[in-house]
Amino acid sequence: MTPQAEFMAGAKRRAMSLAGRVCLLVAGLIVAVAVVFSAVIWTAWKDESRGHVEVVGGEIARALGPRMAESLASGDRDRLGRLLNTLKDGTGLVWADVRTPAGATVMRLTSPAAPARALAAAPLATPNTPGVFVGRDAYVVVAPLRKDGATVGYLRVSFDRKTIDDIRAGRFAEVWLIVLAMIAIAAPVTLFAVSRIMAPLRTLTEFAQSLTEDDLGRRLTVRSGDEFETLAEAFNRMMGRLDSAMQRMRKLAYVDPITELPNAERFQMELQSVVEGAKQGEQMGALVVLALDRLPRLADTLGQEAAQELLALAGQRLAAAVRIADRTVRLADAGEKPSLAARISNMEFAVIAPSLASPSDAARLAQVAASALSQPVGWRGHRISFGCTVGAAMLPRDGEDADTALRHARLALNAARGEQRPMRFFTRSLDNDAHARLALEREMRDALERSEFRAFFQPKVNLLSGKITGAEALARWTRPDGSLVSPAVFIPAAEENGLIDAISESILRDACWKAAAWSREGFHAHVAVNISALQFNDERFAQKILRTLEQAGLDCGLLELEVTESVAMKNLDRVTALIEPLRARGVRFAIDDFGTGHSSLAALTRLPFDLLKIDQQFIRGLAEDKHAPAIVETILAMAASVNFDTVAEGVETEEQAAFLRLRGCSVGQGYLYGPALAPADFLALLRRSAGGAAEWPQGRLGVA
Ligand code: C2E
Ligand code: MG
Ligand code: MG
């Protein structure tokens, strides 16, 4: 999960917003204040009822006390009675009396409005000492009546407790109502204020929740002028940084750093979406894969840095060409999805055209793209061309998914390479061929395990003496059913699937062991073994061969290794270095199929080789092609001048042998002397020739 997604998930997880929680807090505070307030009022009220009675009692004592004391002292009972009667209508009054200091009741007043309950409790509440007394149902005020500094009696006034409490409760309810009204007004005002204050925070939260990875560029506007605005600005800055970091990451993930074109990852996604689109829609698409064939060599010659610069140039050219092709070939308008050019591997580019009117448009688009890459580019004063081969596939016809489409376009590319054509479209037969190759590879692996690849030996004959000088070991695959498979079929396949090493090793071993056996019988015949291009990739090439020679017990001087002209000339320096240890031990090297690689004769002198095998096409042509004799003569003369021994391949007639013998060719090989023979047959031939039994057209055969 991205940090942003986590943040948003966190925001969603919270059940209550901050504003909600503040409102809850404020509401809680209000309730708490109300509760505390009530408790305080309640306590105060309870005390206040007693205080009220004290006050009322005090007022009565002040108003009536002196006069009552006087009346009591003077014994004026009438006046005392009148004064006592003034209390009759006092609120909550139950009774009042005047007593002597000794406690005898002088006079008593009972209120007609006094509740029976209070009167019943009255005898209990008859204290004699001054003060306020709280009984179960009554408050009793006892006030001393003093005259000239002496207490002449007591006035006792009893109030009904419930009546007094109810009056106070009414007051309390009033206060409560006022408080409630204040809460009722304050609560919504407070909530409104809180929600106003929190509004920017809500905006911020909603904005954060609504953000997705694709719109990190959006900005938030908060103009509150407070910390929220600062927070929003900080948030915007943070999102800006996140956005550019995401863009950088996307670029790293989907853009090729050298060419700045979409990379293989992005290409794969685009291809899948175009294939899906093409499957659903009616329009076809095309995939074109372009390989820069010369790039690895350019990298070897000019260095990696230069190769990268050239690649960048090639990428720019391709992108420009694709834009042009969109307008001129696809006739795509502004609303249509443009074609995509991408770099999909070290030396491969690809173009995806999402919609095309016809396969011929695909061919034209491929042409435009290919010619953009084939044109030489100017680079540091040089004109350099990449050499481009193209494979194309139509979508969705040639691939129901991205992988298949790409595999098919690459199959077409490889086929174009094999046929040395600049461009090829995928066809079903290519796929069939690929499957057949896979099946062949499986068969070859099994055949290797069962040692079905064996060396056959074709005699090489000294053209002057007619004696066998040696043999070329040619690989033969004998299937379990006895049928023979030609090396023309399995050698190229083995080179392609990497089995060539194992096959070559088994042929080399076979050839060395057989030649060693011939030697032990006294036939010191040379054995020539073919070396494939891939074997030169192995640094331990010489070591492996020397070990085989040693294990077989064959004299190094009896082994010849044949390297085709094209392989030798292509990797001249590497081949020279790799064969050096073998030449030092006496192994001889031959240039095979000479004349097919078109290398200049002068280049020959640079090869540290010993033998030159003239390709059979020139020998075959001796009778039919008027130029062939001159070519063969020139090759022979030139080989003599650089001290190369010569072997003519494919000698089939005595006329050819005679021509070659006259021009100084030393050795001949061909059906005239025999095809490649099974080891036992070749040994039999050696024995026969040693015994003088083998007949060649020009005479008897011997062993050199
Ligand atoms: P190559 O090395 O040039 O071998 C000569 C080919 O010419 C052989 O074909 C041989 O049978 C054929 N040939 C010989 N004399 C005549 C003739 O008078 N007329 C005609 N028309 N053909 C003749 P083969 O055996 O089919 O081998 C084909 C190629 O396969 C060889 O060409 C060689 O390049 C390759 N090859 C064979 N064995 C091996 C091997 O063990 N390792 C590697 N790397 N390549 C091998
Ligand atoms: Mg050969
Ligand atoms: Mg050859």
Side-chain angles (χ1 to χ4, degrees):
M1 201 190 265
T2 62
Q4 183 219 359
E6 263 176 41
F7 168 73
M8 284 168 186
K12 279 184 187 135
R13 230 180 288 124
R14 279 194 302 274
M16 191 180 278
S17 66
L18 185 59
R21 279 184 288 162
V22 171
C23 288
L24 199 68
L25 183 73
V26 170
L29 277 177
I30 290 174
V31 170
V33 166
V35 168
V36 170
F37 185 77
S38 306
V40 169
I41 299 260
W42 176 254
T43 324
W45 166 72
K46 275 173 72 179
D47 287 350
E48 217 218 19
S49 285
R50 181 199 170 101
H52 173 75
V53 172
E54 254 171 20
V55 170
V56 171
E59 276 172 8
I60 291 171
R62 257 193 312 283
L64 300 180
R67 280 184 285 164
M68 277 188 164
E70 229 174 60
S71 305
L72 191 62
S74 63
D76 187 347
R77 285 183 63 89
D78 287 345
R79 191 176 169 216
L80 188 67
R82 277 197 305 280
L83 287 170
L84 200 57
N85 253 336
T86 57
L87 293 174
K88 205 158 91 188
D89 297 326
T91 310
L93 187 91
V94 182
W95 53 260
D97 67 0
V98 176
R99 306 184 104 186
T100 63
T105 305
V106 179
M107 195 170 282
R108 183 182 177 103
L109 169 77
T110 306
S111 166
R117 166 178 60 78
L119 282 171
L124 295 173
T126 54
N128 249 347
T129 44
V132 174
F133 300 90
V134 182
R136 193 162 60 85
D137 293 317
Y139 294 108
V140 180
V141 179
V142 180
L145 300 174
R146 297 172 72 82
K147 167 103 174 103
D148 302 330
T151 303
V152 291
Y154 293 97
L155 169 64
R156 302 190 311 168
V157 185
S158 173
F159 296 96
D160 177 43
R161 186 170 170 181
K162 187 166 181 304
T163 309
I164 298 296
D165 284 356
D166 283 352
I167 292 167
R168 305 317 300 168
R171 290 266 172 79
F172 174 75
E174 270 169 33
V175 174
W176 241 112
L177 276 177
I178 292 168
V179 169
L180 273 183
M182 278 166 63
I183 288 175
I185 294 166
V189 169
T190 311
L191 295 184
F192 176 71
V194 167
S195 82
R196 279 300 302 269
I197 293 168
M198 291 296 178
L201 189 64
R202 200 170 50 244
T203 315
L204 200 67
T205 315
E206 282 168 5
F207 180 77
Q209 277 176 334
S210 70
L211 271 181
T212 64
E213 273 181 30
D214 297 326
D215 62 359
L216 293 179
R218 263 171 54 204
R219 290 296 169 261
L220 170 70
T221 318
V222 173
R223 291 271 169 267
S224 59
D226 56 13
E227 286 87 343
F228 286 124
E229 190 173 328
T230 317
L231 193 64
E233 278 164 12
F235 187 80
N236 282 341
R237 274 199 302 279
M238 193 178 79
M239 294 316 286
R241 279 201 287 272
L242 192 63
D243 191 24
S244 47
M246 288 289 277
Q247 278 175 16
R248 257 200 316 280
M249 266 165 61
R250 259 189 221 128
K251 197 171 167 186
L252 282 178
Y254 297 122
V255 175
D256 170 51
I258 297 175
T259 57
E260 303 255 307
L261 290 179
N263 65 7
E265 212 82 14
R266 167 85 204 287
F267 159 81
Q268 192 78 15
M269 291 189 325
E270 184 70 18
L271 182 57
Q272 187 61 41
S273 107
V274 169
V275 170
E276 293 299 331
K279 273 200 295 194
Q280 279 154 23
E282 286 177 359
Q283 277 193 311
M284 67 182 90
L287 166 65
V288 180
V289 176
L290 307 107
L292 301 182
D293 297 328
R294 290 193 60 221
L295 197 68
R297 280 187 72 187
L298 286 172
D300 284 349
T301 335
L302 305 172
Q304 276 305 327
E305 209 178 310
Q308 288 188 359
E309 278 180 40
L310 289 169
L311 252 178
L313 280 175
Q316 285 166 14
R317 277 207 168 175
L318 181 66
V322 166
R323 278 196 297 276
I324 292 171
D326 267 357
R327 287 198 305 273
T328 55
V329 179
R330 287 181 61 213
L331 305 174
D333 57 35
E336 265 186 274
K337 206 172 176 187
S339 299
L340 178 109
R343 182 176 172 223
I344 59 169
S345 75
N346 265 352
M347 54 172 212
E348 279 178 331
F349 287 99
V351 176
I352 307 170
S355 56
L356 285 164
S358 69
S360 59
D361 281 355
R364 284 170 58 210
L365 179 127
Q367 203 86 53
V368 173
S371 64
L373 294 183
S374 311
Q375 302 287 322
V377 289
W379 179 81
R380 298 189 188 172
H382 305 281
R383 290 192 65 70
I384 291 175
S385 62
F386 298 113
C388 169
T389 310
V390 179
M394 298 305 297
L395 308 173
R397 189 192 69 191
D398 298 337
E400 293 270 303
D401 57 74
D403 283 346
T404 317
L406 181 59
R407 191 169 62 78
H408 286 170
R410 279 186 168 141
L411 272 181
L413 178 84
N414 287 336
R417 273 206 192 108
E419 295 159 14
Q420 308 219 319
R421 279 160 52 171
M423 188 197 305
R424 195 167 188 323
F425 267 77
F426 171 77
T427 56
R428 279 288 137 207
S429 67
L430 285 181
D431 204 21
N432 296 340
D433 289 353
H435 282 105
R437 274 202 298 278
L438 265 184
L440 181 65
E441 182 183 335
R442 259 198 311 275
E443 257 191 284
M444 286 169 74
R445 285 187 192 278
D446 294 344
L448 256 173
E449 269 177 28
R450 293 195 293 258
S451 303
E452 286 173 15
F453 294 102
R454 306 307 288 260
F456 273 45
F457 299 93
Q458 184 175 35
K460 284 157 84 177
V461 172
N462 183 315
L463 287 171
L464 283 177
S465 66
K467 289 176 177 170
I468 295 179
T469 59
E472 176 173 1
L474 292 162
R476 293 290 179 265
W477 175 7
T478 316
R479 282 208 172 107
D481 62 5
S483 61
L484 275 180
V485 185
S486 160
V489 174
F490 67 81
I491 294 287
E495 282 181 336
E496 205 179 285
N497 60 34
L499 290 176
I500 189 71
D501 260 353
I503 294 177
S504 297
E505 265 178 42
S506 84
I507 299 296
L508 178 79
R509 223 178 8 254
D510 214 4
C512 289
W513 280 92
K514 295 291 172 341
W518 306 333
S519 267
R520 284 196 294 275
E521 265 201 49
F523 306 119
H524 300 294
H526 289 98
V527 69
V529 178
N530 292 286
I531 299 295
S532 86
L534 287 181
Q535 285 175 272
F536 286 115
N537 288 343
D538 188 353
E539 293 298 328
R540 292 171 307 135
F541 170 74
Q543 272 165 273
K544 278 185 177 173
I545 290 173
L546 287 173
R547 204 181 55 220
T548 309
L549 279 166
E550 204 179 310
Q551 287 168 348
L554 181 68
D555 177 2
C556 294
L558 288 179
L559 179 66
E560 275 171 21
L561 296 176
E562 295 188 5
V563 184
T564 57
E565 179 196 347
S566 48
V567 171
M569 294 307 289
K570 206 160 134 194
N571 308 299
L572 190 59
D573 294 338
R574 185 172 172 79
V575 170
T576 308
L578 281 176
I579 67 175
E580 174 45 37
L582 292 168
R583 293 200 76 232
R585 301 287 291 273
V587 177
R588 301 207 307 159
F589 280 84
I591 305 172
D592 204 356
D593 302 344
F594 184 78
T596 52
H598 313 292
S599 40
S600 75
L601 293 177
L604 269 185
T605 52
R606 293 166 58 205
L607 283 171
F609 279 28
D610 313 276
L611 281 157
L612 188 148
K613 294 185 81 174
I614 305 166
D615 191 69
Q616 46 186 281
Q617 63 170 303
F618 300 110
I619 311 302
R620 204 179 308 127
L622 282 177
E624 303 140 21
D625 182 352
K626 61 178 179 1
H627 299 299
I631 294 171
V632 173
E633 256 177 68
T634 315
I635 293 174
L636 287 171
M638 206 277 323
S641 72
V642 288
N643 274 337
F644 272 43
D645 277 345
T646 42
V647 180
E649 291 184 310
V651 181
E652 292 183 359
T653 64
E654 178 45 36
E655 287 72 33
Q656 292 164 347
F659 178 91
L660 293 161
R661 200 179 300 125
L662 272 176
R663 304 300 180 292
C665 180
S666 22
V667 176
Q669 177 188 344
Y671 295 161
L672 179 63
Y673 308 109
L677 299 169
D681 295 338
F682 183 73
L683 183 59
L685 179 70
L686 276 181
R687 283 179 187 145
R688 273 205 318 278
S689 62
E695 290 277 338
W696 306 119
Q698 81 281 17
R700 283 174 179 280
L701 174 76
V703 177

